[in-house]
Amino acid sequence: MADVRPTATVKPVTSVQAKKSGNSISWLAPLLCVVVGYIIWRFVLGDASHFETAVGNGFWPEREGAKGGLYKMYQGGIIVPILIGCMLTVLTFVIERFLTIAKAGGTSSNADFIRKVQYHLANKNVDAALAECDKQKGSVGNVMKAGLHRYKEMTTNNELSTDQKVMAIQKEVEEATSLELPMLEKNLVFLSTIASVATLLGLLGTVMGMIRSFSALGEDSGGGAAAGKLSQGISEALYNTALGIGTSAIAIIFYNMFTTKIDGITYGIDESGFTLTQSFASLYK
């Protein structure tokens, strides 16, 4: 009796490798920015030489009579260094996302790149299409390159049907896409969060400053002098609102700009996957 051996089902191994990247530095950056914000507030804006009256050298020393409009920001209160830290955080992640997304966009137009790949695939020149991916780089180039490697493998595969080959190519593109998109959207959460929180922090600082001002007014019975101190206190408190609104506006502008660019790259990735599957289905029936 002949031996019957079970047929092993060989699953195609993906050529896409997961990108290892920790996010601990991203979470540490806002804390460092707040620390730097405090240093700027305490030792630059709050330097004793910038005020007519300087008392104490502790965590939050008292200062009166600022010699310039910029130094009045110190008198806005303890929320000011947090807002400065938020502004620094926004600038940090704007620079980081700008460099990352610019690199992900590739070296040339994604539309032109896809047209070149389509031309090479129409001529059944997969190696030339791969060479275009090496030139293009970026997220679309990386996804297209992963799909083309599977595409090239399927052209010599005689075991699977055309539909199965197309599904294998599509799966490869999807796996490559699932690795590229998180890198594009990484750290945008900080911009979106600060866009919402910075204004609220500014209002909180303003309210705290006005509470201090009205408390001082209640203790002072000097009439005109008291009114002058009240107006000065409110003016100082409003620095919080101005800083919070400014930080929020910058975060919103760049968040929308980055999401628009990411949408464009995502569209290019989707188009590259469609190009590969349609090309294979039409040329290798």
Side-chain angles (χ1 to χ4, degrees):
M1 182 175 180
D3 293 335
V4 179
R5 297 182 180 180
T7 303
T9 303
V10 180
K11 297 182 179 180
V13 179
T14 178
S15 62
V16 180
Q17 299 297 323
K19 298 180 180 179
K20 297 180 180 180
S21 60
N23 205 33
S24 58
I25 296 178
S26 299
W27 287 102
L28 186 61
L31 298 178
L32 293 176
C33 287
V34 171
V35 172
V36 173
Y38 172 78
I39 293 173
I40 293 173
W41 174 78
R42 169 64 181 84
F43 297 102
V44 179
L45 299 177
D47 187 84
S49 62
H50 299 150
F51 298 86
E52 295 178 0
T53 303
V55 181
N57 290 305
F59 178 79
W60 185 4
E62 184 179 350
R63 300 286 188 263
E64 295 291 341
K67 297 179 181 179
L70 180 64
Y71 307 123
K72 289 182 179 179
M73 190 181 299
Y74 173 84
Q75 296 173 287
I78 197 61
I79 300 297
V80 172
I82 299 177
L83 289 170
I84 295 175
C86 289
M87 175 69 79
L88 295 175
T89 302
V90 168
L91 295 178
T92 298
F93 287 117
V94 162
I95 294 172
E96 186 269 337
R97 285 293 87 196
F98 180 82
L99 295 175
T100 300
I101 293 176
K103 183 178 179 181
T107 57
S108 62
S109 169
N110 287 324
D112 293 339
F113 162 68
I114 292 174
R115 280 195 293 269
K116 292 177 182 178
V117 171
Q118 288 174 338
Y119 171 78
H120 292 307
L121 292 180
N123 293 322
K124 296 187 177 181
N125 193 345
V126 182
D127 291 331
L130 285 169
E132 291 293 340
C133 294
D134 292 332
K135 294 178 184 178
Q136 175 67 9
K137 301 179 181 179
S139 293
V140 178
N142 292 340
V143 172
M144 181 71 84
K145 185 175 181 179
L148 282 171
H149 280 299
R150 181 67 68 201
Y151 185 106
K152 186 176 182 179
E153 179 184 334
M154 292 299 105
T155 58
T156 58
N157 188 304
N158 297 321
E159 299 177 359
L160 302 177
S161 66
T162 300
D163 289 340
Q164 290 175 320
K165 293 177 182 178
V166 170
M167 289 297 295
I169 296 171
Q170 185 175 355
K171 182 179 178 182
E172 186 76 9
V173 171
E174 290 174 353
E175 290 179 352
T177 301
S178 67
L179 296 178
E180 289 292 333
L181 290 183
M183 295 301 298
L184 294 175
E185 298 173 351
K186 182 182 177 183
N187 295 333
L188 286 181
V189 63
F190 291 103
L191 294 182
S192 62
T193 302
I194 292 176
S196 302
V197 172
T199 303
L200 297 177
L201 285 174
L203 292 174
L204 174 62
T206 300
V207 170
M208 291 174 61
M210 293 183 71
I211 290 173
R212 292 198 310 272
S213 298
F214 281 107
S215 296
L217 178 63
E219 297 172 359
D220 194 341
S221 58
K229 287 185 177 180
L230 175 62
S231 62
Q232 180 182 353
I234 294 175
S235 174
E236 294 166 356
L238 289 175
Y239 276 98
N240 289 275
T241 303
L243 193 56
I245 292 175
T247 301
S248 180
I250 294 173
I252 290 172
I253 290 171
F254 281 100
Y255 178 83
N256 290 334
M257 185 180 76
F258 290 144
T259 52
T260 300
K261 289 183 176 294
I262 291 172
D263 288 342
I265 295 174
T266 303
Y267 175 79
I269 291 175
D270 293 340
E271 189 177 0
S272 67
F274 180 79
T275 296
L276 291 176
T277 55
Q278 292 300 308
S279 173
F280 191 93
S282 61
L283 297 175
Y284 299 93
K285 295 180 180 180

